Amino acid sequence: VPGVAGVGVRGFLDGVVAEAVDDNRTHDKLSVLEFKTMGRWGRERLVPHDPQLLLYLWAARQMFPVTAARFDAVSTYQYKDPSPEKRFKRLVLEHDQRKEDRMLADLQKVARRVKQLHKNPDLAIRNVGMDTCHKFGGCEHMARCLEPWTLEEA
């Protein structure tokens, strides 16, 4: 994480795509590709502010001359009309330095907090759940979260 020594970011991009800007393909536009599923439409208005997508765009820009993120979403809601227009949406998020700066500032805050928690695990708030404990290979602190505790300790 820039500005926070010893804390890194690891993840996976769904892809980086080149879109031809001219017939010679000499000026292809590179975009991060992100696939998502959504129940019903409505949250897509939040995509330009999604910290995950902004982080992917920032990370890709560290490796490639990426200028945008392409967000391809498929609705899992069972519409009576199964046409692609109802089930699929593509949104494009152009790079915005102000949004990137805000995302990086938030990422730095989280990274500093992670460093504090590694030094003093007793500061952590338990957050036991299927997503938090089992995704990405599990959490090294899971046993601590599952220790018995009383209301007096809470």
Side-chain angles (χ1 to χ4, degrees), residues 117 121-129 132-133 141-151 153-154:
L117 292 173
D122 290 331
L123 296 174
I125 298 171
R126 294 189 219 208
N127 188 18
V128 179
T132 55
C133 297
H141 304 290
M142 189 169 158
R144 183 178 188 86
C145 286
L146 297 177
E147 289 175 356
W149 53 279
T150 65
L151 289 176
E153 293 176 287

Side-chain angles (χ1 to χ4, degrees), residues 3-22:
V4 184
V7 178
V9 176
R10 182 175 65 176
F12 300 94
L13 298 174
D14 287 340
V16 174
V17 294
E19 300 174 64
V21 175
D22 60 28

Side-chain angles (χ1 to χ4, degrees), residues 1 14 17 26 39-40 43 47-48 57 62 64-66 75 78 81 101 108 117 120 133-134 144-146 149 153:
V1 174
D14 287 340
V17 294
T26 56
R40 293 181 183 218
R43 294 182 321 183
V47 167
L57 183 53
Q62 308 309 299
F64 311 107
V66 172
S75 173
Q78 298 300 315
D81 174 7
D101 291 344
Q108 289 168 342
L117 292 173
N120 187 355
C133 297
H134 298 290
R144 183 178 188 86
C145 286
L146 297 177
W149 53 279
E153 293 176 287

